[in-house]
Amino acid sequence: MAIIKKYLSEVVSVEKHKDDLYSITIKSLSGKFKYSPGQFLHFSLDEYDPSLGWPDSRCFSIQSSPQDELIRITFSVKGNYTNRMANELEVGKIVNLKLPYGDLFVQDNIKENTVFISGGTGITPFLSLFTDYAFADYKNPTLYAGFRNSSLNIYHKELARARQINLNFNTYFVFQNEHGILNKQKVLDESNKNNSFFISGPQDMINSFKDYFMKNGVNQSQIITDDWE
């Protein structure tokens, strides 16, 4: 089991994208971050006082590879806390992180013709694998990624790095305003039912894909979801 550690950290960059989508990079001020691909963290804007316990925080998937010095996360403004983040985050701000959590890619999975399915920022835990050297162990992996529109596909740099690590990596993008939503039947028809399927995104999307796949012959053990929220 991973050892959970608290990291006093500093915000290195803040990027505001369209539709209240933000990406931030963070460096540790208390030793190198230690985590595995697919894990997530607790992020707090507030000071950590051991006598008071861990402050109010939110969970976010880690987008960066464990080989990277900095941690990167991407979030949409959807509530009071992410509104605080959008308003208060700036370069140089001191924040507190607690990590790692989760076992997405530690679970048994078939590394041949593996299918990754994401909706919106659900792609971020996959990116931590795609940009890691371990991604080279996957044979003919395929990503199906859905976004509301093309401007929200902000992950070109990470995906280019993934293609350098794994030359047989296939990617398919669906933009809702142009093509509608990801088509479950199409994904399954283009896949082998004996594959491993990783699914990450809004909970309704995860449930919909999982139910459809199981009703159409995919064993539940082959469906691995990132639904810690």
Side-chain angles (χ1 to χ4, degrees), residues 113-114 116 135-143 162-172:
N113 300 317
T114 311
F116 301 86
F135 190 46
D137 296 335
Y138 286 77
K139 183 178 179 181
N140 298 318
T142 299
L143 168 69
R163 295 185 189 98
Q164 291 178 335
I165 294 171
N166 194 317
L167 299 178
N168 296 311
F169 180 37
N170 303 298
T171 56
Y172 299 95

Side-chain angles (χ1 to χ4, degrees), residues 202-214:
Q203 193 63 53
D204 288 347
M205 185 204 102
I206 291 175
N207 294 341
S208 178
F209 268 89
K210 186 175 182 178
D211 290 347
Y212 181 85
F213 284 177
M214 290 175 61

Side-chain angles (χ1 to χ4, degrees), residues 29-47:
L29 301 178
S30 52
K32 179 176 171 56
F33 292 122
K34 293 183 180 180
Y35 59 95
S36 298
Q39 293 193 299
F40 64 95
L41 55 78
H42 285 258
F43 176 98
S44 181
L45 291 162
D46 302 312
E47 182 180 355

Side-chain angles (χ1 to χ4, degrees), residues 19-163:
D19 293 355
D20 283 332
L21 185 69
Y22 287 80
S23 296
I24 62 172
T25 53
I26 310 159
K27 72 176 180 181
S28 172
L29 301 178
S30 52
K32 179 176 171 56
F33 292 122
K34 293 183 180 180
Y35 59 95
S36 298
Q39 293 193 299
F40 64 95
L41 55 78
H42 285 258
F43 176 98
S44 181
L45 291 162
D46 302 312
E47 182 180 355
Y48 167 58
D49 181 342
S51 66
L52 298 175
W54 185 249
D56 192 16
S57 63
R58 292 296 179 273
C59 297
F60 297 98
S61 294
I62 302 172
Q63 181 175 332
S64 43
S65 159
Q67 277 109 37
D68 297 339
E69 178 185 359
L70 306 178
I71 272 183
R72 185 173 177 85
I73 63 173
T74 295
F75 66 93
S76 295
V77 178
K78 291 184 176 178
N80 292 336
Y81 203 87
T82 48
N83 264 294
R84 272 193 68 194
M85 291 174 66
N87 292 326
E88 297 179 25
L89 284 172
E90 59 183 6
V91 173
K93 182 173 177 61
I94 302 302
V95 297
N96 282 279
L97 308 184
K98 187 166 60 169
L99 65 125
Y101 295 90
D103 60 355
L104 183 62
F105 298 119
V106 176
Q107 301 175 63
D108 289 339
N109 65 94
I110 300 166
K111 292 184 170 65
E112 183 172 353
N113 300 317
T114 311
V115 178
F116 301 86
I117 305 161
S118 68
T121 58
I123 193 174
T124 54
F126 296 163
L127 294 175
S128 68
L129 171 67
F130 296 164
T131 56
D132 188 83
Y133 299 140
F135 190 46
D137 296 335
Y138 286 77
K139 183 178 179 181
N140 298 318
T142 299
L143 168 69
Y144 293 88
F147 301 95
R148 291 199 306 274
N149 56 68
S150 60
S151 68
L152 298 181
N153 180 10
I154 58 172
Y155 311 100
H156 306 292
K157 185 181 296 185
E158 291 95 333
L159 293 171
R161 181 174 163 188
R163 295 185 189 98

